[in-house]
Amino acid sequence: MPTKISKETLPMTATELRDAILKHIEYSQGKDLVHASLYDMRMALTLAIRDRVIEPWFRATRATYAAQSKRVYYLSMEFLIGRLLEDAILNTGLTEAAREAVAGLGFDFDTVLADEPDAALGNGGLGRLAACFLDSMSTLGCPAYGYGIRYEHGLFRQSFGPDGRQVETAEDWLRQKHGWEFERPEASFNIGFGGSVAETGRSAVWTPDDAVIAKAYDTPIIGWQGKWANTLRLWGAEPLTAFDLAAFNKGDFAGAAAPEALARTISRVLYPDDTTDQGKELRLKQEFFFTAASIRDILRRFSAEHNDLAALPSKVAIQMNDTHPAIAGPELVRLLADERGMAFEQAVDTARACLGYTNHTLMPEALERWPEKLMTQVLPRHMQIIERIDELHAKAHPKRKVSIVEGGEVKMGELSFIMANKVNGVSALHSELVKDTVFAELNKLHPGRIVNETNGVTPRRWVKGANPRLSALITDTIGEGWEDNLERLVELEPAIAEQGFRDRFAAIKAENKRDLTAWIEREMGISVNPDAMFDVQIKRFHEYKRQHLNILETIALWQEIRANPKGNWAPRVKIFGGKAAPGYVMAKEIIHLINNVARVINSDKSTRDLLTVVYPANYNVTMAERLIPASDLSEQISTAGKEASGTGNMKFSLNGALTIGTLDGANVEIRELVGAENFFLFGMTADEVVKRRETPDHAARAIKASPRLSAALEMIESGAFSNGDKTTYSDLAQNLRSHDYFTVCADFDSYWDAQRRVDQAWADPDNWTRMAAINTARTGWFSSDRTIKGYMADIWKIDPMI
Ligand code: 26Q
């Protein structure tokens, strides 16, 4: 087993690292030090660190090959990895050496780290989960490949117009060279689309009429202390023929480049998560493009080592991150049956034995469905295979009521369920709801197929890297080695009883808040009181996440502070962060409202010391790393039953923020672990929400019963936040008054009361600190290492290599 860390790899002294950086400035960047720019320094440091990662990476690859180990293939449309340099330095234990080396060369280390663009190849939770899983699989020595798309443009950049509306511009992370990746032209596949199918007896031959090349780009993912490294393989799309020389020679310059432009479109841009924008042909092509390339790569690797395709499930575990790669089932069946001659039913069983499916949402409108017509047009052979899978399933379960193809649509959730040997939810509550709602029928037919794997987050990035001060206190208190054994944080608990520990804990939070205060001043020109409570809601904008519940409470609070300025109000800074899908009108209205409420409230001198609202634009992984360690209160206020898990909630708890939240997703498990007395619970349960919706005028009733909510809504409608224009927010207000599917109104008073309990708790700072420290001590279970161990044992049946 390759456990030993060889001297040549790690550790490295500051002087050695300095020499390595200088070498790269000279030979990779082609500069001498006096002329090196910040970019040159960042690239040279990146390459110097990358060099140290190569050896463990090779070692892990060789060890897996030598042991003929089963490998995990994690297929995901999104990998929201953020910056890689700081993480890699942390995992290789080179933080101090790098800081010293870079300073010695005349650059500021933090500025160099900050020069790296965020790799924003994801929308939110699902993409960030994939990134945390990569880190944990490498830390645990689980042989694995992440497979995804090398988008030229990640999630759009967000800014706010002068009116406070969201403005989207293209993100451009690849404008500068991506220092971590290795281009692999030898790992290329032709991916076809469209065309026709010729059936000859038992087999079928698909002749696509269009094709692109999928080319691999590999990024090594090093685990904690460099003991293991896996590969993130992202596919870029390229044309089969780069250039139409005939057209060029005729003088048609644009036409000559047309095929190239068309092919490259496939990996051009990440689709924003937007349920109103379903069924786009390019999205389907993206999904097939990366899934087909990945499956072919997997089969190629298997066939290089083994002959018997029936043994595939003993060597290959493919995890589908939501339904986005659901075409993996039909594609694997096609390759096994059509191209390798396996009997169809055996091919289906073999594929199923390899596949797992993770569900991340219960909302029916968010489950992917593709028009049968489009599927037939783009993937004619796959459509036939899907129909045969449906028939086989019907034959095996004659009484079954569900089918994959229904009403002219292909339901990807059902396809994924039927083609997977395990289906998992992402929190205890969510997994139960998966069994009882979306897949109730399929669960009856396949008892035991649905399992739970509660999400987690990597402590290396989200504690050690993001919160070095807290990490030092943890190490001082419980010793080394908690970073890959996070449940050891419970050992903090005895220390919490000591005043000295609590004082240090409080001082760390205060310092983190001062850093954030300076950043807010610098970036936004807003000065906030660092001693106020930092009350933070950062996540994608969605009606179910209810940022509007938060802003309604903010308006009501402002009014009440004005009416009673001598009241016992806890001074607060309300911080928002997040993007809305460009086509999601209501979510964008909420953003617009928050910005204008901020403008109005922040200009009220009479309340300024007690209430400030800040909403920095372009929330991303790097901003999360800055905000979370400086937070006192974590807003996790989704309509119960709608947030599958949440992972931000875990990051906040670990970093010593208290949660105000509903009984939704992993909040339930957080509350169980930290104790009900250390969690501000409010709102209806998932069952109560469903019942309440049966009362058609539930919103009107709630508004009538709540003078505060009435006043806040009326204030919005009066034009107070829209320069007197009464119509600006009427859609938003009307939606709440009439429909209010997400029960903002029905939960308002309960939320208000919980916020006042928060105020009371804030009034006793030492007790607040005690509660915050308990949150840190008791949430070590939310390490993604624990989650990955669960997947390895329950789903993948793989043993760790270290
Ligand atoms: C689908 C079709 C077309 C275009 C985009 C999409 C699309 C893209 C992204 C649909 C959904 C997503 C992302 C979903 C997501 O992030 N879900 C979150 O997953 C987290 C990890 O399990 C959970 O913690 C969150 O509760 C869940 O909302």
Side-chain angles (χ1 to χ4, degrees):
M1 296 270 151
T3 51
K4 270 194 64 203
I5 304 168
S6 69
K7 271 249 157 55
E8 308 88 75
T9 335
L10 307 165
M12 197 185 196
T13 66
T15 318
E16 288 167 326
L17 191 51
R18 180 181 191 274
D19 292 345
I21 294 169
L22 279 172
K23 190 194 86 184
H24 279 295
I25 287 186
E26 191 172 346
Y27 294 104
S28 304
Q29 298 305 108
K31 293 269 185 81
D32 55 27
L33 183 62
V34 264
H35 296 111
S37 65
L38 180 62
Y39 167 75
D40 294 323
M41 177 52 66
R42 200 245 304 166
M43 286 303 285
L45 177 60
T46 299
L47 295 172
I49 298 291
R50 195 181 73 169
D51 289 346
R52 313 303 289 179
V53 169
I54 302 294
E55 209 268 344
W57 193 28
F58 286 0
R59 203 156 14 93
T61 307
R62 282 192 214 107
T64 307
Y65 185 78
Q68 304 218 335
S69 306
K70 189 172 183 178
R71 297 176 179 92
V72 174
Y73 297 102
Y74 196 84
L75 269 57
S76 180
M77 280 291 272
E78 308 195 355
F79 287 92
L80 187 45
I81 40 195
R83 291 177 179 153
L84 283 172
L85 180 53
E86 184 182 359
D87 231 37
I89 292 176
L90 195 77
N91 277 333
T92 47
L94 291 169
T95 305
E96 286 324 307
R99 187 177 288 281
E100 197 183 319
V102 169
L105 294 170
F107 284 80
D108 176 61
F109 184 54
D110 295 318
T111 309
V112 172
L113 295 183
D115 183 60
E116 183 181 0
D118 264 45
L121 310 185
N123 276 283
L126 170 150
R128 184 53 235 175
L129 186 75
C132 284
F133 280 7
L134 290 178
D135 182 276
S136 282
M137 290 189 290
S138 290
T139 291
L140 291 166
C142 170
Y145 286 77
Y147 276 118
I149 297 178
R150 184 179 180 271
Y151 298 108
E152 209 173 303
H153 304 286
L155 189 63
F156 64 87
R157 203 178 296 133
Q158 177 196 55
S159 59
F160 299 128
D163 55 357
R165 287 184 195 276
Q166 170 174 292
V167 176
E168 303 101 18
T169 49
E171 185 278 345
D172 220 0
W173 74 299
L174 285 177
R175 187 190 287 269
Q176 293 177 338
K177 198 173 147 52
H178 175 30
W180 292 101
E181 71 183 4
F182 293 91
E183 192 173 335
R184 304 284 192 219
E186 76 282 9
S188 292
F189 296 94
N190 275 14
I191 308 298
F193 301 99
S196 56
V197 181
E199 276 177 285
T200 51
R202 279 186 60 211
S203 71
V205 178
W206 172 33
T207 313
D209 57 18
D210 215 352
V212 300
I213 293 172
K215 190 205 272 180
Y217 294 80
D218 288 352
T219 297
I221 305 289
I222 185 99
W224 176 239
Q225 295 181 326
K227 291 180 198 160
W228 190 264
N230 287 318
T231 304
L232 171 60
R233 175 161 279 193
L234 300 179
W235 301 102
E238 291 191 6
L240 283 175
T241 46
F243 198 66
D244 185 345
L245 195 62
F248 182 82
N249 287 339
K250 278 190 228 132
D252 180 6
F253 304 118
E260 175 167 14
L262 200 66
R264 291 192 194 280
T265 305
I266 291 187
S267 57
R268 184 93 66 199
V269 59
L270 165 77
Y271 269 92
D273 170 15
D274 183 359
T275 53
T276 59
D277 191 37
Q278 278 226 18
K280 288 278 177 337
E281 179 173 339
L282 180 59
R283 168 85 183 183
L284 178 62
K285 286 185 169 170
Q286 286 187 334
E287 293 184 354
F288 180 67
F289 165 77
F290 101 93
T291 304
S294 307
I295 298 288
R296 279 169 226 187
D297 205 32
I298 292 166
L299 279 187
R300 180 193 52 73
R301 192 171 297 108
F302 175 85
S303 296
E305 294 174 25
H306 313 279
N307 303 315
D308 182 12
L309 282 168
L312 194 68
S314 68
K315 299 295 174 192
V316 168
I318 302 168
Q319 193 65 26
M320 299 184 284
N321 197 20
D322 216 292
T323 57
H324 315 154
I327 202 70
E331 173 66 0
L332 186 48
V333 170
R334 190 185 73 80
L335 292 173
L336 293 175
D338 292 357
E339 299 204 347
R340 311 269 185 125
M342 193 184 272
F344 190 84
E345 290 190 28
Q346 194 197 346
V348 171
D349 290 340
T350 304
R352 183 182 297 115
C354 295
L355 288 164
Y357 156 50
T358 304
N359 172 281
H360 298 268
T361 183
L362 300 163
M363 291 194 286
E365 71 274 19
L367 287 173
E368 284 186 295
R369 292 158 177 261
W370 292 104
E372 200 181 332
K373 237 181 95 186
L374 179 66
M375 190 67 98
T376 307
Q377 190 192 305
V378 178
L379 301 169
R381 179 56 185 154
H382 297 79
M383 191 60 227
Q384 293 176 343
I385 290 171
I386 290 168
E387 279 169 338
R388 275 188 76 182
I389 292 170
D390 224 0
E391 283 161 24
L392 276 179
H393 191 252
K395 225 166 65 196
H397 307 277
K399 289 208 200 100
R400 67 102 177 74
K401 293 192 206 95
V402 274
S403 47
I404 302 168
V405 187
E406 207 178 76
E409 288 184 320
V410 185
K411 299 188 290 177
M412 303 310 265
E414 279 71 8
L415 173 63
S416 303
F417 191 113
I418 287 167
M419 284 308 297
N421 69 85
K422 286 281 185 299
V423 175
N424 76 285
V426 290
S427 72
L429 174 69
H430 170 66
S431 295
E432 286 312 304
L433 291 171
V434 168
K435 287 182 203 160
D436 296 343
T437 61
V438 263
F439 295 129
E441 179 72 22
L442 284 167
N443 181 44
K444 269 189 234 144
L445 300 178
H446 306 281
R449 188 172 292 187
I450 300 177
V451 296
N452 175 245
E453 304 297 345
T454 297
N455 284 168
V457 303
T458 168
R460 273 75 62 185
R461 182 179 288 260
W462 294 108
V463 182
K464 185 90 171 172
N467 203 341
R469 296 181 178 116
L470 179 61
S471 300
L473 174 61
I474 294 170
T475 303
D476 280 358
T477 312
I478 66 173
E480 312 248 332
W482 51 271
E483 295 91 340
D484 59 349
N485 188 4
L486 202 65
E487 285 175 66
R488 279 197 53 215
L489 290 183
V490 292
E491 295 169 27
L492 291 171
E493 195 136 1
I496 298 174
E498 294 164 24
Q499 188 67 51
F501 178 88
R502 292 200 303 279
D503 288 346
R504 275 188 77 186
F505 196 94
I508 286 163
K509 184 64 80 178
E511 278 182 75
N512 292 342
K513 289 171 71 177
R514 270 198 296 278
D515 284 354
L516 180 60
T517 301
W519 180 81
I520 291 171
E521 175 83 56
R522 217 168 45 237
E523 295 290 314
M524 310 182 69
I526 299 179
S527 69
V528 301
N529 172 9
D531 298 324
M533 181 199 311
F534 284 14
D535 169 345
V536 183
Q537 187 172 21
I538 44 176
K539 47 184 81 245
R540 283 302 290 268
F541 270 72
H542 232 288
E543 285 167 282
Y544 84 79
K545 294 179 187 282
R546 300 200 294 192
Q547 282 92 352
H548 44 348
L549 175 57
N550 189 347
I551 202 68
L552 277 167
E553 193 266 344
T554 306
I555 295 168
L557 177 62
W558 178 47
Q559 287 310 297
E560 222 139 308
I561 297 174
R562 282 167 66 93
N564 177 15
K566 298 255 164 332
N568 253 339
W569 308 108
R572 288 196 197 223
V573 182
K574 285 255 186 191
I575 302 174
F576 292 86
K579 300 175 183 178
Y584 190 168
V585 175
M586 196 55 78
K588 291 176 88 169
E589 276 312 296
I590 297 170
I591 288 179
H592 183 213
L593 175 63
I594 293 173
N595 276 321
N596 281 298
V597 170
R599 177 178 53 81
V600 172
I601 291 185
N602 294 350
S603 62
D604 183 345
K605 290 200 180 62
S606 75
T607 54
R608 193 55 213 284
D609 292 339
L610 289 174
L611 185 61
T612 316
V613 181
V614 292
Y615 183 1
N618 203 36
Y619 174 65
N620 58 12
V621 171
T622 297
M623 200 191 291
E625 290 167 357
R626 198 186 293 282
L627 292 177
I628 291 169
S631 298
D632 296 303
L633 188 67
S634 155
E635 299 267 357
Q636 308 299 336
I637 61 178
S638 53
T639 312
K642 293 295 174 196
E643 190 68 271
S645 165
T647 45
N649 48 2
M650 302 166 185
K651 297 164 195 164
F652 278 104
S653 273
L654 279 164
N655 282 283
L658 302 185
T659 304
I660 182 165
T662 47
L663 276 183
D664 201 15
N667 291 356
V668 177
E669 287 149 275
I670 291 177
R671 181 166 170 269
E672 271 164 21
L673 281 165
V674 305
E677 67 284 10
N678 300 305
F679 187 106
F680 298 100
L681 180 70
F682 78 95
M684 294 180 282
T685 63
D687 288 342
E688 288 166 351
V689 168
V690 173
K691 272 208 205 78
R692 183 67 62 97
R693 284 205 195 102
E694 289 166 10
T695 311
D697 58 346
H698 62 87
R701 284 174 191 229
I703 295 167
K704 209 167 155 211
S706 170
R708 276 189 197 97
L709 174 58
S710 289
L713 274 171
E714 280 163 20
M715 191 157 194
I716 294 171
E717 291 164 325
S718 75
F721 306 109
S722 38
N723 304 312
D725 186 330
K726 295 184 168 56
T727 60
T728 306
Y729 297 113
S730 39
D731 284 353
L732 201 160
Q734 214 32 53
N735 184 290
L736 289 177
R737 286 189 183 280
S738 54
H739 183 49
D740 193 20
Y741 179 77
F742 296 104
T743 60
V744 167
C745 298
D747 268 345
F748 181 86
D749 277 349
S750 171
Y751 180 55
W752 172 272
D753 293 343
Q755 288 287 21
R756 303 296 71 80
R757 295 202 301 278
V758 171
D759 285 345
Q760 276 172 20
W762 186 255
D764 182 349
D766 190 43
N767 192 49
W768 181 283
T769 298
R770 194 185 56 77
M771 292 163 74
I774 287 176
N775 266 266
T776 301
R778 296 188 187 167
T779 45
W781 187 75
F782 292 106
S783 167
S784 46
D785 299 346
R786 184 268 312 151
T787 311
I788 288 298
K789 283 182 195 160
Y791 277 81
M792 290 172 78
D794 308 338
I795 303 177
W796 303 333
K797 316 285 181 198
I798 291 188
D799 294 321
M801 295 282 291
I802 52 175

